[in-house]
Amino acid sequence: MIKNIAKTFALSALFCAMSMAANAQVAGTGWKAASPSFNVQIQGCGKVSGLTFQLTCNAPHSAGFQRAERRYANMTASLNQFEGTVKVTSLQGDKINIKQVFQDGTGPWMIMTVKKPGIVYETEGGQTLASIPIGTSFRVNTVTDTKGKKTDVYINGSKVETKSSGKTPFYDKFGAYAALSGYGPVTVVWSNIKFWTK
């Protein structure tokens, strides 16, 4: 009897976990969990330890790329959703890119950047996306439509931007990367990374 109850409880917990993994936080239902491959990109004074990304120097962009990022595989599905929680735990420098949707072979497209005193903005265009104090965690979702060639950007579940007229193929990046006028030191910690497609 006790074994049957324990088995039922375990199966219920597994079913709930699978259901949660299959449902994205934004943009409707019908998403399927995905696990794209990635490689770690480090340049200059960049350091990566798991999901902690650091630039340990204050070198300007003119001194060379300062980068500590994960670069994921090119998107192949029609709709692709990324989700992650990010916290800039320390920003002694300024203007650090933390999340990108890139156009492979063409260059940066959607670039989410953080500057003092805690402004999250779009590098391409400069519009403010959110005001989040340094040291405060927030959730980021990007939904990329490879056929429609657009990406919707969400912060804490609210849509803050739509980028259109992109060029395929696209891929996701996140970590810490000094913008053209940016510099470290900085520590960026990501967690709860998830991907879905449909």
Side-chain angles (χ1 to χ4, degrees):
M1 179 70 174
I2 294 175
K3 287 184 178 180
N4 287 338
I5 292 173
K7 185 176 181 181
T8 301
F9 179 82
L11 288 172
S12 297
L14 179 61
F15 177 77
C16 288
M18 292 174 64
S19 296
M20 288 176 66
N23 293 304
Q25 293 286 343
V26 299
T29 60
W31 294 92
K32 295 181 180 180
S35 299
S37 61
F38 68 88
N39 58 61
V40 175
Q41 297 181 330
I42 298 173
Q43 289 181 272
C45 62
K47 289 187 176 181
V48 177
S49 176
L51 289 170
T52 297
F53 304 85
Q54 294 180 297
L55 302 180
T56 61
C57 64
N58 62 358
H61 193 276
S62 59
F65 295 114
Q66 309 302 323
R67 181 198 314 269
E69 294 182 300
R70 279 190 181 186
R71 191 270 202 215
Y72 281 81
N74 288 356
M75 300 175 192
T76 57
S78 297
L79 291 174
N80 306 264
Q81 181 165 178
F82 163 89
E83 178 180 292
T85 300
V86 60
K87 177 166 65 174
V88 180
T89 62
S90 173
L91 180 57
Q92 298 174 54
D94 206 8
K95 299 180 182 177
I96 303 297
N97 303 331
I98 57 173
K99 172 70 176 74
Q100 301 180 55
V101 177
F102 225 83
Q103 304 168 113
D104 193 14
T106 305
W109 183 45
M110 188 291 291
I111 308 177
M112 182 179 291
T113 308
V114 174
K115 66 180 179 180
K116 291 177 177 176
I119 305 299
V120 182
Y121 69 100
E122 167 62 59
T123 295
E124 302 291 321
Q127 65 269 31
T128 297
L129 304 179
S131 294
I132 302 195
I134 302 302
T136 300
S137 298
F138 61 99
R139 193 176 82 240
V140 174
N141 291 72
T142 55
V143 178
T144 300
D145 179 347
T146 60
K147 291 185 177 179
K149 300 180 181 179
K150 71 183 185 75
T151 292
D152 292 327
V153 181
Y154 297 77
I155 292 180
N156 290 334
S158 296
K159 187 188 292 188
V160 295
E161 177 185 34
T162 297
K163 296 285 290 186
S164 56
S165 302
K167 295 182 179 179
T168 55
F170 300 109
Y171 61 86
D172 284 303
K173 296 182 78 172
F174 64 82
Y177 175 39
L180 288 177
S181 57
Y183 56 95
V186 64
T187 299
V188 179
V189 179
W190 282 88
S191 60
N192 303 318
I193 303 301
K194 300 173 185 176
F195 292 87
W196 299 274
T197 60
K198 69 176 177 179

